[in-house]
Amino acid sequence: MERSAGAGAVSAPAPVTVLAGPTAVGKGTVSAAIRARYPQIWLSVSATTRAPRPGEVDGVHYRFVSEEEFSSLIDSGQMLEWAVVHGRNKYGTPRGPVEEMVAEGRPVLLEIDLAGARQVRESMPDARFVFLAPPDWDTLVERLVGRGTESAEERERRLETARVELAAESEFDVTIVNDTVERASDELARLIGVRDLT
Ligand code: 5GP
């Protein structure tokens, strides 16, 4: 495994890159930076049963679907992977668009949870698996329970989840440390084989 936080040689780009990591590490922020700064990379649009948040656009940030639509995507084999995240909503990667982009030779990025990454490892062993890590444990704790509005039990539950999720790092090909969003997204883009256009 390469643990890289800056320079360092990387091997040839894979057609599909999977970005995963612990809750609250900032995967969403890093992938939003990729979307904004590296339009050459195609960021998969997940289907989800959760409701849109203000500012989220259907078909851009997510495909917002009903429980029935989500089930029929699974039943018809159209999901590359899917998971229930945080015990609440379902999220999944529609297979068709990923395969189309790969066929076109466009680099593909999936930003998904750990359970989803494990499924992709089974079905797409050629993908590259990138673990987004916090700079240190305290930073992750700060992001997880920073506002201090949770009960002691909820706080302990989240910290235990974070410990388990951090232990998954060894399953991944490469680790990128999310010290700053800009640096981490630049490193990810370089790994994917794409250069800054600016
Ligand atoms: P949010 O609801 O905050 O947008 O996302 C919550 C979590 O869902 C994030 O950890 C994100 O990585 C995960 N997620 C988003 N899309 C997918 C997907 O298609 N598959 C899986 N397995 N997880 C996803």
Side-chain angles (χ1 to χ4, degrees):
M1 187 181 60
E2 309 155 32
R3 183 170 183 118
S4 57
V10 291
S11 36
V16 173
T17 302
V18 175
L19 180 69
T23 308
V25 75
K27 294 184 299 271
T29 322
V30 169
S31 57
I34 291 283
R35 182 189 278 117
R37 301 175 60 222
Y38 294 98
Q40 318 92 302
I41 299 171
W42 185 74
L43 191 57
S44 164
V45 181
S46 299
T48 181
T49 57
R50 89 151 158 72
R53 297 187 186 125
E56 284 183 334
V57 179
D58 188 36
V60 175
H61 300 99
Y62 282 105
R63 238 172 97 187
F64 296 99
V65 300
S66 65
E67 287 284 345
E68 293 70 30
E69 285 172 278
F70 200 96
S71 299
S72 87
L73 286 169
I74 298 171
D75 295 344
S76 56
Q78 292 182 64
M79 285 303 201
L80 182 59
E81 60 75 35
W82 69 277
V84 176
V85 179
H86 302 319
R88 276 195 294 271
N89 297 299
K90 292 177 188 142
Y91 296 80
T93 305
R95 184 191 299 276
V98 170
E99 290 177 349
E100 279 163 32
M101 292 298 159
V102 169
E104 282 178 23
R106 188 127 174 240
V108 169
L109 178 64
L110 311 182
E111 185 257 289
I112 59 179
D113 83 330
L114 290 167
R118 291 182 179 123
Q119 293 170 48
V120 180
R121 164 85 73 200
E122 293 299 310
S123 58
M124 271 191 177
D126 291 344
R128 177 178 277 151
F129 294 83
V130 179
F131 189 82
L132 191 67
D136 50 58
W137 171 253
D138 288 347
T139 308
L140 187 64
V141 171
E142 173 84 8
R143 288 182 188 162
L144 264 176
V145 295
R147 283 161 300 167
T149 46
E150 305 82 17
S151 64
E153 295 92 291
E154 173 62 16
R155 188 185 146 87
E156 203 32 62
R157 197 182 63 79
R158 289 192 190 187
L159 295 184
E160 182 50 29
T161 303
R163 282 183 204 105
V164 171
E165 290 178 340
L166 279 175
E169 181 181 350
S170 59
E171 298 171 33
F172 284 73
D173 302 317
V174 190
T175 293
I176 290 180
V177 176
N178 190 16
D179 42 11
T180 72
V181 171
E182 187 166 80
R183 200 208 58 76
S185 55
D186 283 347
E187 187 179 350
L188 180 58
R190 238 186 4 257
L191 195 69
I192 294 173
V194 164
R195 305 220 157 266
D196 198 343
L197 291 177
T198 56

